[in-house]
C-alpha cells in the first residue's frame, strides 16, 4: 500500500517516517496554509503552528480533498479550527508526552512542598531549623484520568501520597490504588495538590470558576497542565488573594499564550508560571515517531490506528 504523507514536522522526523517499510511518499507542506496539502496527500500530519489560528484559516472549499486521515502530533486538537474534524479520520499524539508532563507535575509538587530555594542558608544567621512541607501522606487529586492523569497517579502512589481521581466518563482509571470520586467538588475539597489534566472542550471551559474555587481545600496547590481555558484566571487570582482559598498555583498553560505584558499572573506571589514546556516535546519526538509509524502500519493493514478523536466530544 503506497501512501502520500504531507507532514508539518521537521526534516529529521520526516526522514524517519520515510523509512517505514511501506515506503510512503513524503511531500512538503506550505507553512502559511498547511491544509492545502489535502489536494494531493492521503495523510496530513499536523502540528499546532500559528497558521491554524490565523483569521485566514477558513475551511477550504474542497476540504478534506483526497485526505483519508489527519494526524495531530499534539494530544489536544483544540488549537485547530473545527473543520479539521471533517476529515474522514482524525487521530492524535495522546500519551507521547504523558511521562514528561507527569514528571513536571511531581517536580511542581516537591518544589512547593519543600521550597528548597527559600530555606537555602547563605550565611550563619540563616542556619535556622525550618519545618518542611510533606508529600508522603498528602492527598493528590487528579481531574482527568487519561494518559497524563494516570502517569501522575502512579508516581503519586509510589511517593506515599493518597491519590483521588475523577474521570468524566466515570470509568475506572486502571491504576490500582486510586480512589475514584463522584464529583469535582468532593475532589477539590479533599486534595492538597489538585492536578488539572482535562482536554479543552466547551464542557471544560472555565471549569475552575469562582464557585468551584471557593470549594477548594484551604491552602491547596493547583497545577494546570491541561489548557489555560479550563481555569478562569481572573477568578483564580481573586481566590489566591482571598481568605481560605487555594494557597498556590503552578500554571504551565494560560489563556492566551503567551499572556500579554503586565498580566498579573507573571508577578503574583502565589503563582509559578512556566511557558507551556511540561511536555518537553523535542526530547520525546522519538516516541511520537514510533507511535506514528505503528499507526501507519495498522492503517496500511486495514486496522484502526490508535487514539481516534471523537468529533462530538472534541478529543
Amino acid at each position: 500500500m503506497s501512501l502520500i504523507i504531507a507532514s508539518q514536522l521537521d526534516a529529521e522526523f520526516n526522514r524517519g517516517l520515510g523509512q517505514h517499510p511501506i515506503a510512503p511518499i513524503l511531500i512538503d507542506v506550505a507553512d502559511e496554509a498547511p491544509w492545502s496539502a489535502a489536494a494531493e496527500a492521503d495523510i496530513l500530519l499536523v502540528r499546532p503552528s500559528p497558521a491554524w489560528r490565523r483569521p485566514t484559516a477558513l475551511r477550504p472549499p474542497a476540504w478534506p480533498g483526497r485526505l483519508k486521515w489527519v494526524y495531530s502530533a499534539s494530544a489536544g486538537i483544540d488549537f485547530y479550527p473545527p473543520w479539521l474534524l471533517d476529515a474522514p479520520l482524525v487521530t492524535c499524539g495522546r500519551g507521547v508526552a504523558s511521562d514528561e508532563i507527569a514528571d513536571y507535575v511531581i517536580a511542581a509538587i516537591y518544589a512547593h512542598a519543600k521550597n528548597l530555594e527559600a530555606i537555602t542558608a547563605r550565611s550563619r544567621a540563616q542556619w535556622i531549623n525550618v519545618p518542611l512541607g510533606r508529600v508522603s501522606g498528602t492527598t493528590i487529586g487528579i481531574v482527568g484520568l487519561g494518559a497524563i492523569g494516570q502517569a501522575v497517579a502512579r508516581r503519586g502512589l509510589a511517593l506515599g501520597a493518597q491519590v483521588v481521581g475523577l474521570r468524566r466518563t466515570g470509568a475506572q482509571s486502571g491504576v490500582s490504588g486510586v480512589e475514584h470520586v463522584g464529583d469535582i467538588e468532593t475532589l477539590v475539597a479533599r486534595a492538597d495538590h489538585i492536578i488539572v489534566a482535562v482536554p479543552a472542550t466547551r464542557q471544560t471551559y472555565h471549569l475552575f470558576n469562582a464557585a468551584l474555587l471557593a470549594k477548594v481545600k484551604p491552602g491547596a496547590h493547583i497545577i494546570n497542565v491541561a489548557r489555560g481555558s479550563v481555569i478562569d484566571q481572573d477568578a483564580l487570582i481573586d481566590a489566591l488573594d482571598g481568605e481560605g482559598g487555594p494557597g498556590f498555583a503552578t500554571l504551565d498553560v494560560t489563556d492566551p499564550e503567551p499572556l500579554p505584558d503586565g498580566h498579573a499572573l507573571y508577578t503574583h506571589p502565589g503563582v509559578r508560571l512556566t511557558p507551556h514546556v511540561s511536555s518537553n516535546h523535542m526530547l520525546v519526538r522519538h516516541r511520537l515517531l514510533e507511535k506514528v509509524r505503528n499507526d501507519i502500519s495498522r492503517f496500511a493493514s486495514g486496522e484502526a490506528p490508535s487514539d481516534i478523536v471523537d468529533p462530538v466530544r472534541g478529543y
Side-chain angles (χ1 to χ4, degrees):
M1 181 180 186
S2 179
L3 291 172
I4 298 175
I5 302 176
S7 172
Q8 272 196 283
L9 275 70
D10 58 85
E12 182 179 355
F13 185 95
N14 292 338
R15 279 194 295 272
L17 202 57
Q19 293 168 5
H20 190 282
I22 70 165
I25 299 170
L26 272 292
I27 63 174
D28 292 334
V29 172
D31 286 341
E32 70 280 3
W35 48 85
S36 62
E40 50 185 329
D42 300 300
I43 302 172
L44 177 58
L45 180 57
V46 299
R47 61 179 177 83
S49 63
W52 294 103
R53 284 286 178 93
R54 291 184 188 133
T56 53
L58 302 174
R59 179 191 169 108
W63 179 264
R66 60 167 284 172
L67 287 177
K68 300 180 177 71
W69 180 12
V70 172
Y71 202 129
S72 168
S74 60
I77 55 143
D78 52 290
F79 194 92
Y80 306 103
W83 51 260
L84 185 86
L85 292 173
D86 291 338
L89 175 67
V90 179
T91 65
C92 68
R94 184 180 297 124
V96 168
S98 57
D99 284 333
E100 293 294 321
I101 297 173
D103 284 348
Y104 169 99
V105 169
I106 298 303
I109 288 173
Y110 269 102
H112 180 63
K114 300 302 182 182
N115 199 4
L116 297 183
E117 181 60 29
I119 62 168
T120 298
R122 292 183 170 84
S123 69
R124 181 170 181 171
Q126 293 176 340
W127 197 271
I128 303 169
N129 190 333
V130 180
L132 303 179
R134 302 181 68 237
V135 175
S136 176
T138 62
T139 299
I140 297 174
I142 305 173
V143 183
L145 281 168
I148 295 169
Q150 291 181 43
V152 172
R154 287 190 290 271
R155 286 160 172 76
L157 291 166
L159 296 172
Q162 180 182 14
V163 178
V164 298
L166 177 67
R167 203 171 197 178
R168 180 175 177 271
T169 62
Q172 297 295 298
S173 68
V175 179
S176 178
V178 174
E179 178 188 348
H180 292 257
V181 296
D183 57 80
I184 193 170
E185 290 81 8
T186 298
L187 185 147
V188 301
R190 289 180 53 186
D192 300 292
H193 301 275
I194 301 166
I195 319 305
V196 185
V198 293
T201 66
R202 289 190 298 273
Q203 289 72 32
T204 61
Y205 179 78
H206 283 189
L207 174 64
F208 280 75
N209 55 21
L212 182 62
L213 289 165
K215 298 177 181 177
V216 166
K217 182 177 182 178
H221 175 202
I222 298 173
I223 305 173
N224 189 6
V225 290
R227 288 292 187 267
S229 61
V230 179
I231 295 180
D232 181 336
Q233 293 169 168
D234 291 337
L236 174 62
I237 292 171
D238 289 342
L240 290 168
D241 290 340
E243 295 292 330
F248 197 79
T250 297
L251 308 176
D252 188 48
V253 288
T254 60
D255 185 22
E257 291 184 358
L259 291 171
D261 283 334
H263 196 284
L265 288 176
Y266 281 125
T267 55
H268 196 287
V271 175
R272 178 186 297 108
L273 188 62
T274 58
H276 204 153
V277 294
S278 63
S279 67
N280 215 6
H281 70 277
M282 290 307 296
L283 292 184
V284 295
R285 191 56 65 90
H286 64 287
R287 294 190 60 186
L288 176 63
L289 177 59
E290 180 182 7
K291 180 181 175 72
V292 175
R293 284 171 59 98
N294 287 340
D295 280 334
I296 288 174
S297 295
R298 296 174 66 169
F299 185 80
S301 62
E303 300 177 45
S306 64
D307 296 308
I308 296 173
V309 174
D310 183 335
V312 176
R313 294 191 303 174
Y315 62 93

